[in-house]
Amino acid sequence: MYLTTSPLLFSSLYFVFVIRNTFCEERIKVGPGADKEKKINPYITKFHHGANVRPTKCQVCRLLVTEFLEQMKKTNRREDVPRGYLLEDLDNQEKSIQYEKSELRLLDVLDNLCERMKLYRARPGPEFPYIKGAKSQLREVLEDMQEKSKVKLNYELPDEVVEDYTYEMGRLKFKCIHMLESHEDDITQWYFGDQKENLIDWLCVERILDENEQDCLNASTKMPDDYYSFAQDDKSTKPALKPDIPMRDDRRWEL
């Protein structure tokens, strides 16, 4: 047993080291000379320094509401659902309920809601770091190494390690479950009400977050334009690379 698991363990630890020193390096050499000073990427520095507090309560609430409203759109259909279990109840309008405002729809929306937190990846750069469908940093490193290598590389890493090597998405899911259990009555009250009030305001601002915890609610998910400008030589006249978030090109990340 130890002989079969040890290579996997060491390979996992090795690539965690690789990603910290290859892709997430805060300092990058500028200029062709080896003596050129390395410049610091402030966005990666900020991302690393905030890792110990992520995900915050604000970030969890924002993603919970985002996924809740997305599931509301997917289940937005007008139809009657039979209330009884007999065949004659199927055509009996008096024994039917409107799905659009039914408890059944609410259950459909809440089903696996926090499981969908695993669709997100934390990326340095954006004010709000969680991007749905983005590649994990480790996956990006492995693909980059594979592309540059002259031989075929076989890492044999579990997909859960590649996608969430710091278990940040696992923590996000756990905190989502806890928040949902604690405020299910509030969500139910909003759902069976007129639903006119913005759910972010109703749930996050008015019921969950203190005033000093609401900074992420309007944070942008776009990469800053100057993300790569720090790596340019001061004498360079070429424009900096256009920042972009690498997205997965398959659909396996969708639930």
Side-chain angles (χ1 to χ4, degrees), residues 152-206:
K152 184 177 180 180
L153 303 177
N154 186 10
Y155 304 107
E156 296 184 353
L157 288 174
D159 198 56
E160 56 267 24
V161 173
V162 176
E163 291 302 323
D164 192 16
Y165 71 98
T166 62
Y167 199 64
E168 185 168 342
M169 300 306 104
R171 297 195 303 274
L172 178 60
K173 174 187 172 182
F174 175 80
K175 290 187 176 183
C176 173
I177 293 173
H178 179 72
M179 183 175 291
L180 185 59
E181 290 176 347
S182 301
H183 296 276
E184 188 172 356
D185 290 343
D186 294 325
I187 295 175
T188 302
Q189 183 181 352
W190 179 89
Y191 175 81
F192 286 111
D194 55 25
Q195 299 183 8
K196 291 183 179 179
E197 187 168 354
N198 184 294
L199 186 54
I200 283 283
D201 294 335
W202 168 274
L203 186 65
C204 300
V205 175
E206 299 176 11

Side-chain angles (χ1 to χ4, degrees), residues 48-196:
H48 285 170
H49 289 171
N52 62 322
V53 296
R54 288 196 313 266
T56 65
K57 189 192 300 185
C58 179
Q59 291 165 342
V60 175
C61 194
R62 172 171 166 171
L63 292 180
L64 187 155
V65 170
T66 298
E67 288 302 319
F68 182 91
L69 294 178
E70 183 172 320
Q71 294 305 106
M72 286 284 287
K73 290 180 180 179
K74 290 183 178 180
T75 58
N76 186 22
R77 57 183 185 270
R78 294 179 179 273
E79 62 181 33
D80 292 331
V81 180
R83 190 191 301 269
Y85 297 95
L86 301 177
L87 290 177
E88 55 266 27
D89 293 333
L90 297 179
D91 297 324
N92 190 340
Q93 295 296 325
E94 295 181 357
K95 290 191 175 183
S96 298
I97 57 176
Q98 189 178 3
Y99 176 78
E100 188 179 18
K101 292 285 289 185
S102 68
E103 185 176 357
L104 177 60
R105 182 189 181 192
L106 178 60
L107 293 175
D108 289 341
V109 170
L110 296 179
D111 185 40
N112 289 327
L113 183 67
C114 291
E115 188 70 28
R116 300 181 65 81
M117 297 299 110
K118 291 189 175 182
L119 301 180
Y120 293 83
R121 299 292 177 265
R123 302 290 310 193
E127 290 181 79
F128 191 81
Y130 295 107
I131 309 299
K132 192 174 185 178
K135 291 181 180 179
S136 69
Q137 291 179 288
L138 181 52
R139 180 175 294 280
E140 186 177 5
V141 168
L142 296 180
E143 290 180 354
D144 185 61
M145 293 174 64
Q146 182 74 52
E147 183 178 348
K148 294 178 180 179
S149 176
K150 296 182 179 180
V151 296
K152 184 177 180 180
L153 303 177
N154 186 10
Y155 304 107
E156 296 184 353
L157 288 174
D159 198 56
E160 56 267 24
V161 173
V162 176
E163 291 302 323
D164 192 16
Y165 71 98
T166 62
Y167 199 64
E168 185 168 342
M169 300 306 104
R171 297 195 303 274
L172 178 60
K173 174 187 172 182
F174 175 80
K175 290 187 176 183
C176 173
I177 293 173
H178 179 72
M179 183 175 291
L180 185 59
E181 290 176 347
S182 301
H183 296 276
E184 188 172 356
D185 290 343
D186 294 325
I187 295 175
T188 302
Q189 183 181 352
W190 179 89
Y191 175 81
F192 286 111
D194 55 25
Q195 299 183 8
K196 291 183 179 179

